[in-house]
Amino acid sequence: MGGKVKRFMYVNRKAPYGTIYALEALEVVLIAAAFDQDVSLVFVDDGVYQLKKGQNTKGIDVKNFSPTYRALEGYDIEKLYVERESLEARGLTEEDLLVPVEVLSSEELRELMEQQDVVLSF
């Protein structure tokens, strides 16, 4: 595939269930990676819950899609960032998450966003 590789950043701000944002973001990320773009994911606000270990969706009768995050590495999506302040505000630590991430401050994330060609927020 030719052409310039663009840097796409997907910012996940919503909890994993109750809206379609999290699942839609995940699908869009996989599509972008299939086209050999430079993809990164950011989890802020309630979006950090998308990566929380031990999700059980039986009580709300929806599919638990959290195991998909473990498959991202197979699509060469290895840049996952979580905002430190969002984790702390929700009483979570990096050990509570189901995939390896880089925890950054909001200021560090802002700087990283400025380096992207495209930033999409879900």
Side-chain angles (χ1 to χ4, degrees):
M1 177 173 222
K4 179 182 184 265
V5 174
K6 288 193 170 197
R7 287 173 286 190
F8 285 83
M9 176 177 277
Y10 298 90
V11 181
N12 295 280
R13 298 180 180 278
K14 306 286 186 188
Y17 307 103
T19 69
I20 62 168
Y21 290 105
L23 184 56
E24 290 289 319
L26 192 54
E27 290 178 355
V28 170
V29 164
L30 293 173
I31 291 168
F35 285 96
D36 295 327
Q37 299 301 307
D38 183 349
V39 173
S40 59
L41 281 90
V42 174
F43 298 87
V44 298
D45 301 331
D46 284 344
V48 298
Y49 289 124
Q50 294 179 32
L51 297 179
K52 189 171 180 313
K53 290 178 184 170
Q55 295 180 29
N56 182 344
T57 59
K58 288 183 180 175
I60 57 174
D61 199 28
V62 295
K63 183 178 180 179
N64 177 357
F65 59 87
S66 66
T68 307
Y69 292 105
R70 290 191 194 110
L72 292 176
E73 190 174 3
Y75 292 87
D76 293 328
I77 302 170
E78 299 171 343
K79 299 176 190 172
L80 279 70
Y81 305 99
V82 173
E83 183 189 50
R84 177 176 295 114
E85 292 85 347
S86 294
L87 275 180
E88 291 174 355
R90 287 152 184 85
L92 299 173
T93 67
E94 196 172 341
E95 289 73 37
D96 294 314
L97 306 179
L98 41 80
V99 290
V101 299
E102 186 172 347
V103 178
L104 300 175
S105 70
S106 58
E107 178 61 24
E108 291 169 320
L109 279 174
R110 186 190 61 76
E111 292 171 7
L112 190 60
M113 285 181 188
E114 290 178 355
Q115 300 169 15
Q116 305 302 309
D117 294 309
V118 179
V119 177
L120 298 169
S121 183
F122 289 86

